[in-house]
Structures are given as C-alpha cells and as structure tokens.
Amino acid sequence: MPLSPLEHDRRYGELDQVMRAYLGQPADDTPEQPGPALTAYLRHTWHTRPWALATAERQLREYADNPPGRLRLRLGEFYAIPDVGLPRGEIQSWLRCLADHIKHSIEAGEVPPPAAPATHWEWHARFPELGQFLGGWFSQDMPDEFDDHHAAVEDYRNSTDRHLVARLVGELQELLALDLDEPDLALAVAELGMEIDPPAPYSPSGWLSVVAGQLAVPTGEN
C-alpha cells in the first residue's frame, strides 16, 4: 500500500521539496557547482527554514544509499524520484552530489544572497498566496466569470479569510519591492499563474499597486 502522509513526510518530506525545485529545470549540478534549481532551493530555504537543510541532506543521502528494493516497489511503499532527465544509473550519484552541496553550504555557512526568484518553484515557494490569487482568480477564464479585474479582486477578498488577504497584501508589497522592470514583472506574474493582461491602462506594477490598495481597505469600506 502507498505510504501514509505522515510516513512520507518522515522519510521523504524534504527530499520531495528538493525534487520539486527541479520542476522545469535541468539536473545539471556538478561536484564543483550546484545548478540553478539547487541554488534556488538553498536561497529560499536558508532564509525561511534553515533547520530543514540538515533534513534534506540526510534524506537525500539515505535515499541514494538505500534505494527502494523489490519488496517496497511491489508494495508501493516508496518515494518515486521524478524524471529529471538523467539516466536511471546516474540518479544515486546525483542525489549524493546534491547532499554534498547542501552539507558544504551548512558547514561553510555559504548562503546564496537575497535575490529575485529564479525558478518556477522558487516563485511559488516565496509567494504562495499570490500564486493562489493569480492562478485562481486570473486564469484565462476570468473574463467569463467576472465583469472586470476589480470584481475578481473583490470576489477573492469576500471569499477568503482576512488573515490570508493580509498575507497577500504583504506578498504584493514584497514583489513590488524587488523593483523588477515591467517585462520581468510580467514574467513573474505569469510564473505565478496569471493568464490575462492587467486592465488598461495599467502596467503590471501599476495594477499590482492598485490591487494592494484595494485589498488593504477593510471589507465594506470601498
């Protein structure tokens, strides 16, 4: 039978986070240099959950040293490493390479400096509520569901816990504080799930500022 959620997290929870960081990214790490996906994982995790790095290093190494055998494969009680574009025979050495880089980062205190997210995983890890908002309310179906952008924002605010609304306002302000140029900001909101353009005549930054202001007004006062 498949692993229970508790057993999955105990054995593979942080390993799974590392693997998710490779979504859409090449597994091009070398013993000398971590690739963009692992660098993004290290940057975000160092600044949000530094204690998880040791767990990631241990789970990666344990999986590499003890891959699932025939019995676990037959019972389904194992974590399936997603396809990262490497031959099956190279997976174990690659996992050990990742573990070595994480161990070195911890022991040497080498922390990637703060920067704008560089991968799809990092965008969603850093801006989770903004991803929910843009992907849920501003997909390509938005014009069929709402009269305009303002109505969609109001629907989000009226149907979402006020604590999450406050979190979204903070994430909007953090995104704007990155001071990205407009093309890069347009790519950022697309990574986070937005499938339509901001309303005319706004640029991405202008519209996001309007949304932050709209959501900051207490319900019933606008």
Side-chain angles (χ1 to χ4, degrees), residues 57-77:
E57 188 269 343
R58 174 179 57 79
Q59 291 183 354
L60 283 160
R61 206 173 296 283
E62 287 180 351
Y63 194 101
D65 292 343
N66 300 285
R70 292 181 181 179
L71 178 60
R72 287 167 61 192
L73 288 171
R74 181 165 59 84
L75 295 175
E77 296 178 350

Side-chain angles (χ1 to χ4, degrees), residues 108-131:
E110 291 187 2
V111 183
T119 67
H120 180 82
W121 174 87
E122 192 178 8
W123 278 111
H124 283 267
R126 185 165 173 179
F127 299 101
E129 190 59 27
L130 184 53

Side-chain angles (χ1 to χ4, degrees), residues 18-34:
V18 177
M19 294 299 100
R20 289 175 184 270
Y22 282 84
L23 178 65
Q25 296 293 318
D28 56 357
D29 313 88
T30 67
E32 295 75 29
Q33 186 74 30

